[in-house]
Amino acid sequence: SLEGDSTTFAGSGTAAVTDNTGVLAEFKSPAMVAVDTTGAIFVTETVGHVVRRVDAGAVVTTLAGTPEVFGFNDDTGLAALFRAPTGVAMFNGDAELLIADSVNNCIRHVVILSKVVTTYAGSTTQAYGFIDGPKALFHDVRGIATTAANIAYVTEDNNHAVRKILADRSVVTIAGTGG
């Protein structure tokens, strides 16, 4: 129905990165969400430079990334660094996430339980370009979706392309010509 009540589940409306419950939590430019089978919501924040988890009780916690600090670092939890993460997708069932780390031009992998962040595809040196194969380069990845077979589809803003990441992590372009 177009009519009815709505309530805020999580977030105060203030732009900040604050872990808390319900409307006491704060988000800074939330971009995309993914939802696991338990109802947990995973949120990327482009200006907060983090990945957050919102549980069924509206408890918001930072899963990975240092709040409001951008950069590139594969590490665990708050020690990992992102630069404007946008897309997020569940991966390997409910155990992992893939993150489109837009300004770092790569796809990042997060193991939810351990909070370990690694680079899944693209450059680990922030290089960018339009190269397919096992040493693929991206330029401004934005959206990401995954299949049950752990195939990922990625959109790239500056390459004007849709790319497919196979289970062996090699990349093929399925639409667009790059640049």
Side-chain angles (χ1 to χ4, degrees):
S1 160
L2 295 176
E3 296 178 23
D5 295 328
S6 66
T7 58
T8 301
F9 182 67
S12 68
T14 299
V17 181
T18 306
D19 290 348
N20 212 319
T21 302
V23 297
L24 299 176
E26 296 170 323
F27 295 90
K28 193 158 191 181
S29 296
M32 303 286 179
V33 299
V35 181
D36 73 11
T37 57
T38 70
I41 304 165
F42 298 90
V43 182
T44 54
E45 294 181 41
T46 57
V47 178
H49 307 291
V50 292
V51 179
R52 313 280 290 286
R53 182 180 187 275
V54 184
D55 72 14
V59 175
V60 179
T61 55
T62 301
L63 179 67
T66 303
E68 300 187 68
V69 175
F70 65 83
F72 180 88
N73 191 36
D74 284 345
D75 210 322
T76 302
L78 299 177
L81 294 176
F82 297 91
R83 188 161 185 186
T86 53
V88 56
M90 300 308 303
F91 189 67
N92 197 20
D94 282 349
E96 302 161 12
L97 299 169
L98 288 183
I99 308 293
D101 196 356
S102 66
V103 180
N104 283 327
N105 303 301
C106 63
I107 303 302
R108 308 291 286 287
H109 175 256
V110 181
V111 178
I112 295 169
L113 189 60
S114 67
K115 302 181 182 181
V116 171
V117 178
T118 57
T119 301
Y120 187 77
S123 173
T124 58
T125 61
Q126 296 175 284
Y128 64 89
F130 189 71
I131 298 173
D132 281 348
K135 295 185 180 197
L137 291 180
F138 298 97
H139 194 186
D140 198 12
V141 291
R142 294 296 177 108
I144 188 164
T146 57
T147 69
N150 289 335
I151 304 297
Y153 294 88
V154 178
T155 60
E156 288 181 85
D157 194 43
N158 288 329
N159 275 333
H160 315 287
V162 178
R163 316 276 292 279
K164 181 179 182 178
I165 305 172
L166 304 171
D168 67 359
R169 299 187 185 186
S170 62
V171 177
V172 294
T173 300
I174 61 173
T177 57

